[in-house]
Amino acid sequence: MASRRPVRRRAWRFALLFFLPLLLPTATYPQDQWPAPLPPELPWDGQSQELIVAQDDPWITPAERTGLTATPTYDETVAWLQRLAAAAPELNLVSLGKSHEGRDIWMVIASVEGAVTPATLKAAGKPTLLAQAGIHPGEIDGKDAGLMLLRDMTVKGTRAKLLKGANFLFVPILSVDGHERSSPYGRINQRGPVETGWRTNARNLNLNRDYSKLDTPEIQAIVRAINQWEPDLYLDLHVTDGIDYQYDITFGYTGRHGLSPSIADWLDQRLTPALNKDLKARGHIPGPLIFAVDNRDPARGLVGWTAGPRYSNGYGDARHLPTLLVENHSLKPYRQRVLGTYVLLESTLRTLAKHGKQLRRATVADRTRQPERVPLTWKAPDAEPDELEFLGVQWETAPSDISGGECIEYTGQPVTLTVPYFKYIEPEVSVTRPRAYWIPPAWPEVIERLALHGIYLETIAEAREVVVELARLSEVKLAGEPFEGHVPVTAVARPERRTVTFPAGSVRVPTDQPLGDLAVLLLEPDSPDSFFRWGFFLEVLQRAEYVEGYVMEPLARRMLEQSPTLKRTFEKKLAEDADFAADPRARLLWFYERTPYFDDRWRVYPVARE
Ligand SMILES: [Zn+2]
């Protein structure tokens, strides 16, 4: 018997090999036909191409060597940067931490003083730009642009002036493990580079959903770096797909309506005009962040989205760190995108050098602002939306026999449209700012994360009795499937006033601190990015103690005898709720809930408001 089985298996394998190509035609689809059939490329011949050095230049970057069509591996990138740093006294490399797979997350420190520590960098008093590439490794334009700029600022000397006015912190690859999951098939909607990394980290988590919950070593590393190096401005460099349009580089941030209005003013008045001017002068087509209402019909308009703190730009707004989200357009060639990013980085450094003092004042103003009501979610006003001039690309739609729906096809012809612009700038849900939050020591994973954000915490050494507001949760709904390694949960939270004794080791989180707004967004159960909504408090949703029917029955009878009001309420409930009336367990539970034996912490959100 033992000898016959393998023979059968081999026969099966043979049959599979023979017939599989016939059964699955995709398995024999010729490799050279795999390149994704993208919409037509728009012609481009921008002046920024002069930035590419000659092929025989000793400091040519690995991407330039390929004419900006390919991007180097992690090892090649790090080796090239180490060689550059060895030759340039302005540059130092520091590891911000390690990924799951043990790779260092490198940051380049570029300063005239050759600073290696936050203290020496800050001592010179210059403004500091932190730019990070590869949070989504398939969108790696920023890395290759940064390598070129670092070279030109140092050994080449053509951009040496930039460092006289501002320091430059540069993370070439944030999602280092995702970057090494490289193939030609990482980005189907994108025109190069020939091979790219994968969108998520080694645990399949999207780093640009992790800023509030801080699960990943990569985002923990960058938040630690933000706290230590205290950059004045933060850039998160991406590439976006979605609809086709003429813009090759788009960028945006939370506007005046958000939690950092003074910073938004500076970005509106100083940075945005400078970037637009410099990018246009070099032949690029800058635009605002583009999110279509409907990707199958660009004429329906665009959405001006207000990001929550799970995203870099929403996080920046919540912690009053000036933050710009940059999205190159995926349908533009890699060469054009890298050069646009170079011009954007250069222009940002120049603007920061010129107007950095003003930005610092704006940042201080926002950190001390501490509004009485904090918006948790945003909506578009009911009024007619604004109109926006949109540099689009013409399209046709036709019924599709593939999808059975409508299919959109872009023609490659530029077109200028006026479209509605739905701006999500009106607070939808907001809360009053409590004086502080209280967190019992039983929730260390939440307390640790607050500390990692840099939020100031007071830990009490002895138990303390405090009058607080606690939220009782009802209508609890768990998400049907996991999201980013969590089971998100929503509930209706009703406040109750209580006197609570917090044990030693409990933490008080005052909200009159620079990161007070962020604390509110992380701790209010109605905030979409709160630890509660991410599912960090699922334990309190479970009931642990029960009552036997033979105990509850006589007790319930006595309760009815003693309280005519209770009797009336019970009878009303029986009359109005047929399901309840027909459910003996629910009826006993109804009485149990009204006894002091019932768990007074069940469905009570344990983070209290002072
Ligand atoms: Zn991205």
Side-chain angles (χ1 to χ4, degrees), residues 443 471-479 486-494 525 530-546 589 593 598-607:
W443 306 95
R472 186 170 287 280
L473 307 164
S474 60
E475 293 167 55
V476 175
K477 286 191 189 83
L478 297 176
H486 290 262
V487 179
V489 57
T490 59
V492 174
R494 285 195 188 81
S530 63
F531 293 115
F532 172 74
R533 289 278 196 104
W534 276 110
F536 280 78
F537 291 96
L538 295 179
E539 293 91 329
V540 304
L541 305 175
Q542 178 189 345
R543 206 150 57 84
E545 190 61 78
Y546 296 87
L589 178 66
E593 282 173 1
F598 190 73
D599 181 2
D600 67 345
R601 293 190 191 176
W602 180 58
R603 287 192 170 180
V604 172
Y605 176 51
V607 177

Side-chain angles (χ1 to χ4, degrees), residues 135-136 139 187 199 206 208 237-240 325-327:
I135 187 174
H136 291 150
E139 311 164 12
R187 293 280 290 172
R199 184 170 178 80
N206 184 338
N208 203 21
L237 306 171
H238 291 248
V239 179
T240 189
L325 172 67
V326 180
E327 296 277 6

Side-chain angles (χ1 to χ4, degrees), residues 319-335:
R319 65 173 293 154
H320 319 299
L321 167 65
T323 301
L324 203 68
L325 172 67
V326 180
E327 296 277 6
N328 289 336
H329 189 220
S330 66
L331 296 177
K332 306 300 182 287
Y334 192 55
R335 179 184 174 95

Side-chain angles (χ1 to χ4, degrees), residues 257-268:
H257 63 280
L259 295 164
S260 301
S262 301
I263 289 170
D265 274 344
W266 187 90
L267 295 169
D268 281 346

Side-chain angles (χ1 to χ4, degrees), residues 55-196:
Q55 280 295 313
D56 59 356
D57 192 294
W59 288 108
I60 191 167
T61 67
E64 283 173 304
R65 204 183 292 285
T66 70
L68 298 182
T69 60
T71 195
T73 64
Y74 172 88
D75 286 341
E76 288 163 354
T77 306
V78 175
W80 192 89
L81 280 170
Q82 280 168 341
R83 188 166 72 89
L84 183 70
E90 302 93 336
L91 303 186
N92 285 290
L93 264 80
V94 59
S95 171
L96 302 181
K98 281 191 192 290
S99 66
H100 288 300
E101 294 179 357
R103 291 185 184 89
D104 279 301
I105 300 162
W106 292 106
M107 180 172 81
V108 182
I109 311 151
S111 70
V112 171
E113 296 78 18
V116 247
T117 65
T120 48
L121 189 82
K122 288 176 212 169
K126 274 176 229 163
T128 298
L129 170 67
L130 167 61
Q132 117 203 330
I135 187 174
H136 291 150
E139 311 164 12
I140 202 62
D141 315 12
K143 176 187 72 180
D144 290 316
L147 264 52
M148 290 169 65
L149 182 62
L150 286 168
R151 172 214 40 218
D152 294 347
M153 290 196 306
T154 58
V155 291
K156 206 102 184 108
T158 54
R159 296 290 182 282
K161 248 179 91 178
L162 291 175
L163 281 185
K164 294 210 170 79
N167 308 309
F168 183 38
L169 302 176
F170 179 64
V171 177
I173 310 167
L174 181 59
S175 186
V176 286
D177 295 343
H179 186 274
E180 293 310 280
R181 187 181 163 189
S182 184
S183 84
Y185 308 116
R187 293 280 290 172
I188 191 169
N189 308 314
Q190 187 171 298
R191 200 162 253 128
V194 286
E195 292 198 6
T196 72

Side-chain angles (χ1 to χ4, degrees), residues 289-312:
L289 294 172
I290 301 290
F291 301 99
V293 172
D294 180 354
N295 277 359
R296 290 160 307 175
D297 185 5
R300 288 190 56 198
L302 304 175
V303 173
W305 158 69
T306 296
R310 72 181 60 175
Y311 303 96
S312 60

